[in-house]
Amino acid sequence: MSRLVPVPSNSFIPERDADKTPILETHHLGIDFGGLTAVSEFNLTMGRTEITGLIGPNGAGKTTVFNLLTNVYKPSRGTILLDGVDTAGKSAAQLCRMGIARTFQNIRLFKDMTVIENVLVGLHHEMDYTLAESILRLPRYWRGEKIARNRAYELLGIFHMEDMADKLAGSLPYGAQRRLEILRALATNPSLLLLDEPAAGMNPSETAELMENIRRIRDTFGIAILLIEHDMNLVMGICEGIAVLNYGKIIAKGTPDEIRSNPEVIEAYLGKRKGG
Amino acid sequence: MDKVKTGGAVYRRLPTGLRYLINTALFALFLITITALADNRVISYSDSKVLMLIAVNIILAVSLNVATGYLGQLPLGHAGFMAVGAYTSALFMRSASAYPGQLMFPLGLILGGLVAALFGLVIGIPALRLKGDYLAIITLGFSEIIRVVILNIDSVLGFKLTFGAASLKNIPTTTTVFNAFLWAGIVCFIIHAMMKSRHGRAILSIRDNEIASESCGISTTFYKTLGFCASAFFAGIAGGLYAGYLGILSPGSFGFMKSIEILVMVVLGGMGSMLGSIIAAVALTALPELLRAFSDYRMVVYSLVLIAMMIFRPEGLMGSYDFSLGGLLERLLNRKSAPLIKEDES
């Protein structure tokens, strides 16, 4: 595991990414729902190939942060820089094309489409033929479809799901649905991948495999991964940096070891020691 | 024979060119047969009129299926787009009557389709911001506006354009069994080709999960509008064929009940199944004619059939299954010659 080094914006990223622009920078990010402040003063910097964990008790605002990063919610305050570019005012679809892809806490697959079609939707912008070209079945259509299909099989190969390609996505077992959602996100060719509880509902051996795969995805694609997870084995095992969120605020940031021994984190999870 | 490797399993596949060739040949054969039968009066004149109506209804059903079955919206104003297409192409045909009708007719149809698509765009942009019941109501409202405008525009503005309730007469009756089914075939192919492309998958993904679709980089507003306009475009073409079939148009034939009639075909056939829409369009057009002998009980039987359907097969005749002749042949092929893999029945 690499060392974390400070970057100008008062944050830490892995040493190997230090000389490049951080893939994600948020400054004073916050959102209010009516009178309720769901997230405030959220400052995070991520290196280009970093795996970061976002943890915190239930209702701490973790998924809200994801929705802010993908512009599902409009931030009330603060800025988000993706690869140095401000993402304010962009639609979720535009953001996806700029390089953010995500999965959802409650799986959102295209249930009535086949597994391969799900991945092909993610590859939508890899194909460039027009509507007229597809209706007239011109060579560009066939070429685009063929390349995309091969790419889709390659992606399915990451999780060894090639032989499920023609099954309906809704008919897959739970774990496979989660994996497919990750593949669909990867298909959009992201530079930052947001995973919302990727290990939810998986048994320990599946989780161990997922951990291995997340690391492998980072290594082969050279992307940054931000993940929300409750499984501490997974978080402590693969994350280089961890941010702990409680009541919408970051209460601690650092390496897994620092987080493990941080008294504030322990208090957030376990409560205060009586009379201590 | 192509052998395609998909994840360790080997299928024998028909070359794509051959698939298209077989389908085209069969469609051509069907067209020639049905035209010959109609021309030689094997099929009576009145029956050939029913055949034309069947073709028109097939186009209407498959076009509405784009908006309901594929895009997952529930517009109730399909008759409005049909009316726009019908009147546009009828007016065009009347003014172009100096030229040979069979040459001008395709132009008139496409013009009708384009104007209908334009209306689809204008109505779709505000309407598609709504969902479910609200979309149904607003599209219903728009189609009634279209009908009422056609009914009254002459007397209000002093035109002699649509002739309102007095009907638009003397439209060249250029629709034949041949060109009606030819256009039905073309429309079905275009829709099929559109759906089996990245654009079609984008439309389907919106139906399944709009939020996920947006997060996959699909511009959902664009594709919803595209699907809606395509639906309106083909309804316009159906309207043009209908005008050429009847020779006389009155706004009364494009009321609310017409929209419902088309919707029933789509629901009965199974949302999202083109084959289902076609079968239901044929059945629901032919059934009332076949039951004419029992004219007293006609509507009773018709409604009983619908009720029985809703009870025993609420997902529609075909569900979301779509037929592919090539796929069927491939299955036979893989079965007959010692199968290279076990057939996957799921």
Side-chain angles (χ1 to χ4, degrees):
Chain A
M1 199 130 299
S2 68
R3 225 157 52 82
L4 294 186
V5 295
V7 287
S9 55
N10 193 21
S11 202
F12 297 91
I13 62 174
E15 201 174 4
R16 60 176 183 279
D17 295 330
D19 50 341
K20 296 170 218 127
T21 334
I23 191 65
L24 179 76
E25 274 180 274
T26 66
H27 298 296
H28 314 293
L29 192 63
I31 185 170
D32 305 330
F33 296 116
L36 177 82
T37 304
V39 173
S40 66
E41 287 300 313
F42 185 85
N43 295 304
L44 183 72
T45 307
M46 278 183 74
R48 303 199 75 93
T49 58
E50 183 180 348
I51 301 182
T52 302
L54 185 59
I55 63 172
N58 288 326
K62 303 182 295 292
T63 300
T64 309
V65 167
F66 270 26
N67 285 336
L68 287 171
L69 292 178
T70 51
N71 276 7
V72 174
Y73 297 147
K74 201 165 159 275
S76 312
R77 293 173 297 281
T79 47
I80 305 165
L81 299 180
L82 180 67
D83 204 0
V85 183
D86 193 344
T87 66
K90 299 273 196 298
S91 74
Q94 284 172 316
L95 267 186
C96 170
R97 272 167 263 161
M98 285 172 69
I100 291 189
R102 73 173 291 185
T103 66
F104 296 87
Q105 191 174 359
N106 46 343
I107 306 174
R108 289 179 182 273
L109 283 174
F110 308 127
K111 289 205 170 70
D112 292 330
M113 298 170 77
T114 61
V115 168
I116 187 128
E117 281 172 335
N118 267 271
V119 181
L120 285 170
V121 172
L123 288 165
H124 185 81
H125 288 285
E126 300 286 298
M127 294 169 264
D128 55 356
Y129 59 81
T130 63
L131 182 62
E133 278 165 342
S134 65
I135 287 173
L136 298 174
R137 290 288 191 254
L138 294 181
R140 268 167 64 87
Y141 163 83
W142 294 112
R143 215 176 308 134
E145 283 286 303
K146 195 172 173 200
I147 293 170
R149 227 159 248 279
N150 289 341
R151 179 95 188 98
Y153 273 112
E154 260 172 49
L155 284 165
L156 287 178
I158 295 177
F159 289 139
H160 309 293
M161 290 171 73
E162 297 102 321
D163 46 348
M164 300 179 185
D166 292 321
K167 288 208 170 98
L168 285 186
S171 71
L172 294 185
Y174 186 79
Q177 293 199 6
R178 284 227 169 267
R179 287 192 283 269
L180 177 57
E181 212 187 13
I182 297 176
L183 293 182
R184 187 183 65 190
L186 272 179
T188 63
N189 197 14
S191 41
L192 171 63
L193 180 61
L194 310 179
L195 302 177
D196 201 340
E197 299 200 18
M202 288 187 179
N203 62 35
S205 74
E206 282 179 313
T207 308
E209 203 187 321
L210 180 75
M211 251 168 88
E212 205 38 61
N213 280 322
I214 291 178
R215 200 177 286 137
R216 190 151 56 93
I217 286 169
R218 192 270 312 271
D219 293 342
T220 35
F221 292 84
I223 58 176
I225 297 175
L226 176 62
L227 54 93
I228 294 175
E229 189 48 69
H230 286 297
D231 189 316
M232 285 305 143
N233 283 334
L234 186 141
V235 176
M236 298 293 167
I238 58 171
C239 294
E240 291 152 285
I242 295 177
V244 188
L245 210 60
N246 198 19
Y247 296 111
K249 286 195 174 69
I250 291 186
I251 55 169
K253 276 191 288 194
T255 61
D257 288 332
E258 288 165 9
I259 295 298
R260 225 183 302 232
S261 51
N262 186 310
E264 271 192 81
V265 177
I266 298 170
E267 189 188 313
Y269 270 91
L270 300 175
K272 221 178 215 152
R273 189 185 291 264
K274 225 178 196 172
Chain B
M1 202 67 58
D2 293 3
K3 282 179 193 168
V4 181
K5 198 163 184 294
T6 52
V10 183
Y11 290 96
R12 284 152 198 262
R13 267 218 177 135
L14 291 177
T16 323
L18 188 63
R19 275 166 161 245
Y20 280 77
L21 204 68
I22 293 174
N23 286 329
T24 318
L26 282 178
F27 180 64
L29 190 70
F30 165 77
L31 262 189
I32 292 166
T33 319
I34 205 160
T35 315
L37 289 177
D39 285 352
N40 300 320
R41 292 277 171 268
V42 180
I43 300 174
S44 71
Y45 179 72
S46 65
D47 283 350
S48 69
K49 278 286 185 192
V50 176
L51 280 179
M52 289 178 217
L53 198 59
I54 286 178
V56 171
N57 283 340
I58 286 176
I59 301 180
L60 286 172
V62 295
S63 66
L64 183 63
N65 188 32
V66 173
T68 53
Y70 297 143
L71 187 60
Q73 309 294 331
L74 183 68
L76 280 184
H78 216 51
F81 299 127
M82 183 190 174
V84 172
Y87 271 89
T88 309
S89 103
L91 292 170
F92 175 81
M93 290 305 287
R94 267 162 58 105
S95 55
S97 56
Y99 305 98
Q102 288 303 343
L103 276 179
M104 289 292 118
F105 195 46
L107 284 182
L109 289 183
I110 289 169
L111 188 69
L114 286 178
V115 177
L118 189 70
F119 273 72
L121 187 70
V122 171
I123 295 170
I125 288 173
L128 288 169
R129 294 169 147 259
L130 305 172
K131 287 192 169 70
D133 318 1
Y134 302 101
L135 181 87
I137 291 166
I138 196 173
T139 47
L140 169 64
F142 272 119
S143 90
E144 281 300 290
I145 291 173
I146 290 174
R147 187 179 64 82
V148 170
V149 166
I150 293 174
L151 190 62
N152 295 309
I153 194 167
D154 281 13
S155 54
V156 173
L157 294 177
F159 285 155
K160 286 223 172 300
L161 190 68
T162 66
F163 295 93
S167 314
L168 183 65
K169 297 190 186 75
N170 301 325
I171 306 162
T173 49
T174 21
T175 303
T176 60
V177 172
F178 173 75
N179 61 22
F181 276 99
L182 178 66
W183 276 97
I186 292 173
V187 168
C188 287
F189 174 75
I190 292 178
I191 292 175
H192 168 82
M194 183 173 91
M195 293 317 294
K196 296 273 184 230
S197 74
R198 70 188 184 113
H199 310 284
R201 284 191 296 265
I203 289 175
L204 287 173
S205 75
I206 293 173
R207 173 193 70 184
D208 277 7
N209 200 317
E210 199 172 331
I211 295 174
S213 177
E214 182 87 21
S215 84
C216 283
I218 308 267
S219 163
T220 50
T221 318
F222 173 79
Y223 278 105
K224 274 161 105 175
T225 317
L226 177 74
F228 197 70
C229 284
S231 176
F233 176 80
F234 297 121
I237 287 184
L241 281 168
Y242 184 73
Y245 147 82
L246 221 53
I248 176 169
L249 285 179
S250 71
S253 22
F254 304 105
F256 170 56
M257 281 318 290
K258 184 72 190 173
S259 297
I260 295 295
E261 201 182 297
I262 306 166
L263 186 67
V264 167
M265 289 174 192
V266 175
V267 174
L268 195 67
M271 296 241 198
S273 163
M274 190 189 284
L275 180 70
S277 296
I278 295 173
I279 292 176
V282 174
L284 288 189
T285 319
L287 199 63
E289 302 299 329
L290 293 176
L291 295 174
R292 214 169 267 281
F294 320 92
S295 57
D296 291 348
Y297 304 102
R298 191 158 65 116
M299 290 320 282
V300 179
V301 174
Y302 182 79
S303 42
L304 282 179
V305 168
L306 283 183
I307 294 170
M309 270 303 298
M310 290 299 110
I311 294 173
F312 296 112
R313 262 193 92 82
E315 74 275 29
L317 275 175
M318 291 289 138
S320 59
Y321 169 81
D322 248 335
F323 175 75
S324 136
L325 190 70
L328 193 73
L329 285 175
E330 273 171 15
R331 215 169 306 157
L332 286 175
L333 211 77
N334 281 313
R335 186 169 300 160
K336 232 190 287 171
S337 51
L340 294 162
I341 52 139
K342 267 253 181 270
E343 266 249 283
D344 199 344
E345 290 299 338
S346 62

